[in-house]
């Protein structure tokens, strides 16, 4: 059974108190810190760069899951690896060479993952699955926190888990966007095991209770489905 991990996205944190906000979710049970890097080109928003990742690395105890939503990612793999990224995920839509990117990330000692936008078919993964440790499926259109979960993602998650099973891969399937107490059980039952949660965690008044409840719902669903 794959391990459930909850990855709060700091996109919804209070940036004026970022160090405290990171320590707070870690003390509340977070497994990873999800960092949304956006460049205003690949997505219509500008957020965090390598300097902030470096600052986060100084306070975080858990691995940094760095989600690159940028044009030309190959130019920045070294920069984010140097800044302290532990996992680096790149969009298959961000350039013609996702296969090379995965090798570049692994070559820097980071865990490579690829990300698919909601409209991108799973067939783009056919020749990539053996090169990556994880696949992240976007369940919102990337760019902003607090959006509604796109229901058709469930079918996609289930199909990817089925493919991984058929190919004998212990693939981590991460889901990003609209993960909340109301959606997480269905997402886990479909086959995901890593859950990014931005507004659901940082928008709540009790991080510990929220993370515990997300984890409990995910584990119960995965257990029932025997994923
Ligand atoms: C969206 C980002 C997400 C975002 C999720 O482009 O990749 O990681 O922070 O936010 P919620 O959990 O609020 O949908
Ligand atoms: Zn993200």
């Amino acid at each position: 059974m794959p391990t459930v991990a909850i990855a709060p996205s700091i996109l919804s944190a209070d940036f004026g108190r970022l160090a405290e906000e990171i320590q707070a979710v870690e003390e509340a049970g977070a497994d990873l810190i999800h960092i949304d890097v956006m460049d205003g080109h690949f997505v219509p928003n500008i957020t965090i760069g390598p300097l902030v990742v470096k600052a986060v690395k100084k306070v975080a105890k858990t691995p940094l899951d760095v989600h690159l939503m940028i044009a030309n990612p190959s130019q920045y793999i070294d920069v984010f690896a140097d800044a302290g990224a532990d996992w680096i995920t790149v969009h298959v839509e961000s350039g013609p060479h996702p296969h090379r990117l995965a090798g570049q990330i692994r070559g820097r000692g980071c865990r490579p993952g690829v990300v698919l936008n909601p409209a991108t078919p799973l067939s783009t993964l056919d020749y990539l699955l053996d090169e990556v440790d994880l696949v992240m499926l976007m369940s919102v259109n990337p760019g902003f926190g607090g959006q509604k979960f796109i229901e058709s993602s469930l079918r996609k998650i289930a199909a990817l888990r089925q493919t991984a099973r058929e190919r004998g891969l212990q693939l981590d399937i991460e889901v990003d966007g609209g993960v909340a107490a109301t959606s997480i059980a269905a997402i886990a039952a479909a086959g995901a095991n890593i859950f990014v949660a931005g507004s659901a965690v940082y928008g709540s008044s009790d991080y510990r209770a929220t993370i515990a409840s997300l984890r409990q719902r995910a584990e119960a669903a995965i257990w029932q489905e025997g994923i």
Side-chain angles (χ1 to χ4, degrees):
M1 196 169 50
T3 318
V4 166
I6 307 292
S9 163
I10 59 169
L11 190 60
S12 294
D14 177 350
F15 276 43
R17 300 170 36 249
L18 194 51
E20 279 168 59
E21 289 274 72
I22 286 158
Q23 281 157 348
V25 290
E26 287 186 334
E27 278 162 24
D31 301 288
L32 297 162
I33 300 295
H34 184 85
I35 304 182
D36 288 305
V37 176
M38 307 188 191
D39 67 350
H41 293 277
F42 182 70
V43 288
N45 196 4
I46 301 177
T47 55
I48 293 166
L51 288 177
V52 175
V53 173
K54 197 171 175 187
V56 169
K57 189 66 182 176
K58 285 191 188 143
V59 295
K61 295 191 177 74
T62 55
L64 304 187
D65 169 24
V66 176
H67 175 192
L68 297 184
M69 286 161 276
I70 59 176
N72 254 323
S74 68
Q75 208 181 320
Y76 298 98
I77 301 301
D78 282 340
V79 176
F80 283 100
D82 289 342
D86 296 285
W87 300 13
I88 299 181
T89 57
V90 286
H91 277 256
V92 295
E93 306 88 357
S94 65
H97 300 298
H99 188 283
R100 177 186 288 151
L101 277 173
Q104 213 184 331
I105 296 167
R106 199 183 293 286
R108 285 302 316 257
C110 301
R111 261 194 117 204
V114 281
V115 194
L116 267 53
N117 279 334
T120 303
L122 290 175
S123 56
T124 56
L125 296 173
D126 272 2
Y127 302 99
L128 270 176
L129 272 188
D130 295 323
E131 308 303 321
V132 295
D133 290 356
L134 71 126
V135 172
M136 188 159 83
L137 298 179
M138 292 307 302
S139 41
V140 297
N141 286 296
F144 303 94
Q147 302 181 79
K148 192 177 171 303
F149 180 79
I150 296 171
E151 290 294 324
S152 63
S153 314
L154 292 175
R155 191 159 57 84
K156 198 171 179 184
I157 298 161
L160 178 58
R161 180 55 75 196
Q162 178 62 24
T163 302
R165 230 184 252 127
E166 284 164 10
R167 290 175 60 161
L169 297 172
Q170 286 288 329
L171 184 71
D172 277 329
I173 301 180
E174 184 168 12
V175 170
D176 186 7
V179 174
T182 47
S183 56
I184 196 165
I187 300 168
N193 65 300
I194 302 176
F195 306 88
V196 177
S199 52
V201 171
Y202 280 111
S204 76
S205 54
D206 184 339
Y207 297 168
R208 179 179 295 277
T210 304
I211 291 171
S213 142
L214 290 172
R215 188 189 307 284
Q216 186 267 323
R217 287 165 198 260
E219 283 177 349
I222 282 182
W223 180 254
Q224 267 174 22
E225 296 296 317
I227 286 159

